[in-house]
Amino acid sequence: MIKAITGTKDILPPEMPKWKILESIVNDVFTGFNYKEIRTPIFEETSLFARGIGEETDIVGKEMYTFIDRSQTSLTLKPEMTASVVRAFNEHSLGKQQPLNKLFYISPMFRQERPQAGRQRQFHQFGGEAIGSASPLLDAELIIIAYDILKLLGLKDLTVKINSLGIPASRENYKKLLKDYLKDSKHLLSEDSRKRFDQNILRVFDSKVESDQEILKNSPLMIDYIDDESKNDFGVVKTILTNSKIPFEVDAKLVRGLDYYTKTTFEIVSGKVGSQSALCGGGRYDLLVEQLGGAPTPGVGFAAGMERILLACENENSLNLPKEEIDLYIIKLDKELSSKVFELSLSFRKNNLIVDFDYLDRSVKAQMREANKLNSRFVLFIGGDEYKSEKLNLKNMSTGEQQLIELNDYHRVIEIIKK
Ligand code: HAM
């Protein structure tokens, strides 16, 4: 038997209600802040991600699904959306149509990571990107949107972490300081951290190795060396979050794994999902649009992992899932009435009722069992002596009450069910 690829998962019908709830909350919250939905292709030219996310990052260096197609073009299944959204922004000159574009998305993403709870190779993200303004109001707005969505899902065990990475010039100065601080103990760092020391020194902070963290304990912190503008914008973000009653902590070691960030960055983590605790992450990327060939245009955004969020909801038992039910199940007492039942079901379905019946010529008892299994609110019996006298029998399954209705008066059935 052929099975799904490691790290991918089928979402089967019983799981759909929670996905629907999440998607509708995402839709409603973003729409309330006047973000418009955008969809981009599943694959892009590989160079988009290499240039956008950064050659030295884990995503580009180790995790992308890259392949050469039949025309010898190198393509990559999208590992994240920001580069794709910026590519679309540039390609369609969205900045010329309006100065600020507020966009949101829901989409599958692909990264070849080691699968574990909350980490898959095909996973889903929702996210938002505001492109065209450097105002820190938008940084705060996006944090508030992410937090609102998680709160509306009933999640409680949340921590908002924020940091500022400054502009590249201040960051370069800081990297030198960090290098100076670490160089004497470089040989004591883990192998991964030694590699990061050479390639992308800020990522040393992401190390989970305790002895690395011990060495970093008294390191200089970037937040103390950022430029005045970044400092000022960070202050505005903190004030808005405080005024909006969003609890947050400044995490000076939050560096994020993608190269495009400038100024404010943030993550929201859950205490209820184990080691893969980041439910969402984002920040400002004021140089990315230009880096990908567009006019200099600032931007800010975040993305959230939907599998992780649903795992947190499950672990916190936070979702109130509606009982699945249908409006009507039609039971035929005589097999030869199949086409009459089909015809009737179409009339009911046209009137927005959720209707089903038996397609397998099962016994009346089996049809009744099916109606119960589907939590049908009403059952309509058709056939037998009642049919000969041109009547249908409608049963309300919660009260047990039954009524005879003229065969041609299906409107009466609809009226009763909709009451
Ligand atoms: P990211 O931190 O790489 O950022 O991913 C955002 C979120 O996607 C993570 O916090 C996590 O919840 C989820 N995620 C990432 N990898 C996996 C995986 N393998 N399995 C399950 N969930 C995963 C970005 O993607 C940026 N594009 C965010 C952004 C938007 N920054 C600015 N705009």
Side-chain angles (χ1 to χ4, degrees):
M1 197 199 301
I2 298 174
K3 296 202 168 148
I5 305 292
T6 307
T8 70
K9 273 196 184 150
D10 299 308
I11 303 171
L12 298 173
E15 291 170 75
M16 277 323 290
K18 57 186 186 192
W19 282 87
K20 291 276 177 206
I21 290 179
L22 173 54
E23 285 167 14
S24 92
I25 290 176
V26 168
N27 229 314
D28 290 351
V29 173
F30 273 114
T31 304
F33 282 81
N34 197 26
Y35 283 63
K36 307 286 185 200
E37 187 171 358
I38 182 166
R39 299 185 188 188
T40 65
I42 287 292
F43 51 81
E44 300 268 4
E45 270 189 37
T46 302
S47 57
L48 171 68
F49 301 116
R51 273 167 59 190
I53 302 170
E55 301 272 6
E56 307 291 342
T57 59
D58 283 353
I59 296 179
V60 174
K62 308 193 223 170
E63 297 167 0
M64 294 205 303
Y65 280 98
T66 296
F67 60 98
I68 307 289
D69 77 355
R70 287 168 203 271
S71 0
Q72 302 307 309
T73 309
S74 177
L75 302 177
T76 293
L77 302 185
K78 60 184 168 189
E80 62 109 45
M81 263 304 263
T82 312
S84 298
V85 170
V86 168
R87 197 257 318 127
F89 174 89
N90 286 341
E91 186 170 339
H92 304 287
S93 306
L94 297 185
K96 288 204 181 112
Q97 291 164 35
Q98 50 190 36
L100 174 63
N101 280 265
K102 300 205 288 181
L103 304 163
F104 81 97
Y105 48 81
I106 299 178
S107 175
M109 304 291 158
F110 307 85
R111 297 184 193 176
Q112 192 165 6
E113 296 189 80
R114 196 168 45 79
Q116 62 182 86
R119 191 160 76 189
Q120 294 178 198
R121 292 181 170 176
Q122 175 173 342
F123 60 100
H124 296 78
Q125 282 186 344
F126 68 79
E129 313 287 348
I131 307 178
S133 163
S135 166
L137 291 184
L138 286 163
D139 308 21
E141 175 170 295
L142 282 150
I143 297 172
I144 289 169
I145 288 174
Y147 192 75
D148 276 1
I149 292 173
L150 298 175
K151 277 289 173 194
L152 284 168
L153 288 162
L155 292 175
K156 294 200 174 70
D157 194 348
L158 299 172
T159 310
V160 179
K161 296 180 173 184
I162 60 171
N163 191 19
S164 177
L165 301 182
I167 56 168
S170 62
R171 193 151 64 217
E172 285 314 311
N173 287 338
Y174 169 73
K175 278 185 188 169
K176 280 187 206 127
L177 285 175
L178 186 60
K179 218 160 217 169
D180 276 349
Y181 171 84
L182 284 175
K183 70 174 186 299
D184 292 338
S185 27
K186 185 181 172 190
H187 63 288
L188 300 172
L189 289 170
S190 64
E191 194 189 328
D192 250 3
S193 290
R194 281 202 306 276
K195 250 189 233 153
R196 286 173 172 171
F197 179 97
D198 294 323
Q199 292 172 348
N200 193 352
I201 190 160
L202 295 184
R203 295 292 315 286
V204 173
F205 285 116
D206 280 345
S207 170
K208 300 244 160 37
V209 181
E210 222 169 280
S211 52
D212 287 354
Q213 287 303 334
E214 190 58 33
I215 294 170
L216 286 165
K217 217 163 75 188
N218 298 315
S219 73
L221 294 172
M222 192 155 36
I223 197 81
D224 298 327
Y225 297 92
I226 57 175
D227 52 287
D228 288 344
E229 193 180 84
S230 299
K231 208 176 286 172
N232 177 62
D233 289 359
F234 195 54
V236 174
V237 173
K238 286 193 286 189
T239 305
I240 298 176
L241 294 182
T242 305
N243 293 344
S244 312
K245 305 210 165 21
I246 305 231
F248 64 89
E249 55 188 55
V250 175
D251 178 353
K253 293 181 176 166
L254 178 72
V255 290
R256 308 271 305 127
L258 303 92
D259 279 356
Y260 49 61
Y261 291 112
T262 51
K263 296 187 173 175
T264 308
T265 53
F266 66 95
E267 278 186 6
I268 303 181
V269 300
S270 162
K272 289 286 191 294
V273 288
S275 66
Q276 299 306 306
S277 60
L279 299 187
C280 82
R284 195 157 261 295
Y285 46 87
D286 288 346
L287 305 170
L288 183 62
V289 176
E290 191 179 4
Q291 211 173 301
L292 292 175
T297 314
V300 55
F302 79 88
M306 297 171 79
E307 280 81 1
R308 269 183 216 183
I309 289 174
L310 291 177
L311 192 63
C313 290
E314 214 167 284
N315 293 347
E316 288 201 36
N317 201 9
S318 71
L319 284 183
N320 245 336
L321 294 173
K323 181 173 140 198
E324 291 238 336
E325 57 178 25
I326 67 169
D327 294 316
L328 178 67
Y329 194 83
I330 309 175
I331 292 183
K332 57 180 185 296
L333 307 175
D334 309 309
K335 284 202 171 82
E336 51 289 359
L337 287 172
S338 284
S339 42
K340 182 67 196 167
V341 169
F342 187 64
E343 203 181 290
L344 265 175
S345 74
L346 291 183
S347 317
F348 295 136
R349 286 164 174 164
K350 261 191 203 127
N351 283 276
N352 296 326
L353 293 181
I354 306 172
V355 181
D356 212 348
F357 61 89
D358 172 52
Y359 296 80
L360 305 171
D361 279 342
R362 284 178 287 189
S363 68
V364 172
K365 212 165 148 192
Q367 292 180 65
M368 203 56 213
R369 257 202 310 272
E370 184 68 12
N372 281 320
K373 201 166 133 196
L374 293 170
N375 287 323
S376 192
R377 295 171 48 231
F378 287 84
V379 164
L380 188 67
F381 295 95
I382 166 167
D385 289 344
E386 280 156 3
Y387 188 69
K388 282 183 203 128
S389 52
E390 308 217 320
K391 296 264 189 319
L392 299 166
N393 183 348
L394 181 67
K395 181 174 179 185
N396 180 326
M397 296 296 275
S398 53
T399 63
E401 192 188 329
Q402 301 197 21
Q403 308 187 38
L404 290 181
I405 293 163
E406 293 295 326
L407 180 59
N408 293 325
D409 193 9
Y410 71 87
H411 284 293
R412 178 78 190 124
V413 175
I414 295 165
E415 217 175 84
I416 295 170
I417 295 178
K418 284 201 172 165
K419 208 154 53 182

